Amino acid sequence: VRSLEFGTILRNELLFALRALKPGGHLYFAYQLGIYSMLFRLLLALRPAFGRVRVTPTFAAHRTPLYVFLGEYSGAESPAAVAALTFLEALPTAGAGAFVAWHLSAWDGAARALHAELSPDLHAVWRTQEGYLREQRLTAERQFGADGAARKGGGKGG
């Protein structure tokens, strides 16, 4: 449910942006979910209308959001932009098929090409998150060890 709520908000923002953005313009948004099948579905629709795409980690490494940069917009009248707008307008926001419609369900040539294009960026995002999670785990292990040592050291009940 949360993903559809977020998706509906993002869809509306993207519809507004694609209609307002001038040819050659750039679009930047925060993708706030860790659901990559949804991100790839949206990017597969948007990518043809832009000359460039990048994803980067946010400044908060402990969070799953990432930033998406789309550059060199072809313009709202271009066939690629019209297709993206049509796709976004048709996305259901409720009902039994809504969740499936929002997510990439087949790994076809277009999806593989997009993944190959974004692979260096996605690895940078994941390395940033991995570094944070590793440090968090080590901190927890140190704290657990310190708590165990304190209990063995003769506190109450020791």
Side-chain angles (χ1 to χ4, degrees):
V1 172
R2 179 176 173 241
S3 64
L4 286 179
E5 291 171 358
F6 168 76
T8 300
I9 293 167
L10 181 58
R11 181 199 66 174
N12 293 339
E13 291 172 345
L14 291 171
L15 283 168
F16 177 82
L18 292 178
R19 289 184 178 116
L21 198 60
K22 295 182 180 190
H26 306 291
L27 176 63
Y28 159 80
F29 63 92
Y31 182 77
Q32 300 179 15
L33 297 175
I35 304 172
Y36 288 96
S37 61
M38 185 178 193
L39 174 65
F40 268 78
R41 184 69 186 106
L42 289 171
L43 289 180
L44 280 172
L46 295 171
R47 178 63 181 100
F50 290 87
R52 296 182 300 139
V53 63
R54 296 285 313 267
V55 294
T56 65
T58 63
F59 295 112
H62 64 287
R63 304 279 315 259
T64 55
L66 50 88
Y67 294 127
V68 178
F69 299 91
L70 295 157
E72 302 166 7
Y73 185 48
S74 61
E77 303 300 322
S78 72
V82 169
L85 287 163
T86 301
F87 165 78
L88 290 169
E89 289 168 347
L91 277 175
T93 58
F99 186 84
V100 173
W102 278 88
H103 293 78
L104 182 66
S105 59
W107 200 249
D108 62 8
R112 282 192 296 276
L114 179 62
H115 181 266
E117 179 181 8
L118 293 177
S119 187
D121 291 346
L122 290 170
H123 284 287
V125 168
W126 296 329
R127 275 192 305 275
T128 300
Q129 292 171 347
E130 176 191 33
Y132 172 79
L133 292 172
R134 181 181 298 114
E135 184 57 38
Q136 187 178 37
R137 187 197 81 223
L138 292 173
T139 299
E141 288 174 358
R142 283 190 295 270
Q143 185 62 45
F144 181 76
D147 289 348
R151 281 193 294 275
K152 288 180 182 178
K156 289 185 179 180

